[in-house]
Amino acid sequence: MKTSRPWRSSKREVGSMKLFILYDNTKADRNFEAGWGFSCLAGSNVLFDTGEEFSFLRNNSIRMNLDLSEIESVILSHDHWDHTGGLEGLFREMDGGIKVYGCSDTDSSLKKMIDRCGGQFIEADGLKEVGRGIYSTGQIEGGYKNSSILEQSMAVRAGEGLAVVTGCSHPGI
């Protein structure tokens, strides 16, 4: 029996909300660029993570006919480089003005870069609606390399329930 692998597809519909996987370590097809990390666009204006390299994120969005200039908010699952590497490039392309939802243990240099680029860092202190029907779960404690790490996920209203998008899932599903 053949099973589908949704992460290989570049677009998913969840209820009336569309999710676009812009960045992953696998390619949906040969026209897309892949690299370390992950990025998913919910609707047209909330981005979950940015992958390691902005040029890949931008090129994949162009191939999918998506306009990154509509992004109003970014949810960072956690501050590892393969989930935040494209953030500064996104700011350069957008001239700032983006709200960034991150965990309280986000590295101070990343917070300073967000501020320097004209963004607003908002601590993920609990469930928070960041876009219509799109939520940050707030930070959840997990483990990584024998130490504590905080990570958050994105929840999207999907008909009668929620769909949850995770980064690395260090705390587990």
Side-chain angles (χ1 to χ4, degrees), residues 157-170:
R157 186 165 305 286
E160 298 297 317
L162 295 173
V164 178
V165 178
T166 65
C168 285
S169 300
H170 292 298

Side-chain angles (χ1 to χ4, degrees), residues 23-136:
Y23 200 109
D24 200 355
N25 65 349
T26 59
K27 294 182 180 190
D29 67 36
R30 63 185 169 96
N31 295 315
F32 289 87
E33 298 181 64
W36 284 105
F38 179 74
S39 183
C40 177
L41 181 66
S44 64
N45 62 353
V46 178
L47 188 66
F48 181 78
D49 286 344
T50 65
E52 72 168 310
E53 176 62 47
F54 177 70
S55 65
F56 293 0
L57 181 69
R58 181 185 57 230
N59 293 342
N60 291 344
S61 68
I62 290 168
R63 287 180 178 105
M64 295 174 72
N65 294 317
L66 297 172
D67 186 359
L68 295 180
S69 70
E70 293 183 28
I71 293 172
E72 297 173 1
S73 302
V74 175
I75 299 172
L76 296 177
S77 60
H78 59 300
D79 70 353
H80 288 170
W81 60 273
D82 55 335
H83 296 266
T84 64
L87 188 59
E88 189 167 6
L90 180 65
F91 274 118
R92 272 189 259 118
E93 187 140 310
M94 306 266 306
D95 293 325
I98 300 171
K99 294 178 182 175
V100 178
Y101 296 84
C103 295
S104 62
D105 66 348
T106 297
D107 187 82
S108 62
S109 63
L110 182 59
K111 289 178 181 178
K112 287 177 186 173
M113 181 276 293
I114 292 166
D115 185 57
R116 184 180 73 248
C117 291
Q120 177 186 2
F121 183 83
I122 300 167
E123 203 168 285
D125 55 2
L127 183 68
K128 187 172 293 197
E129 188 169 22
V130 300
R132 189 172 179 191
I134 305 168
Y135 305 87
S136 158

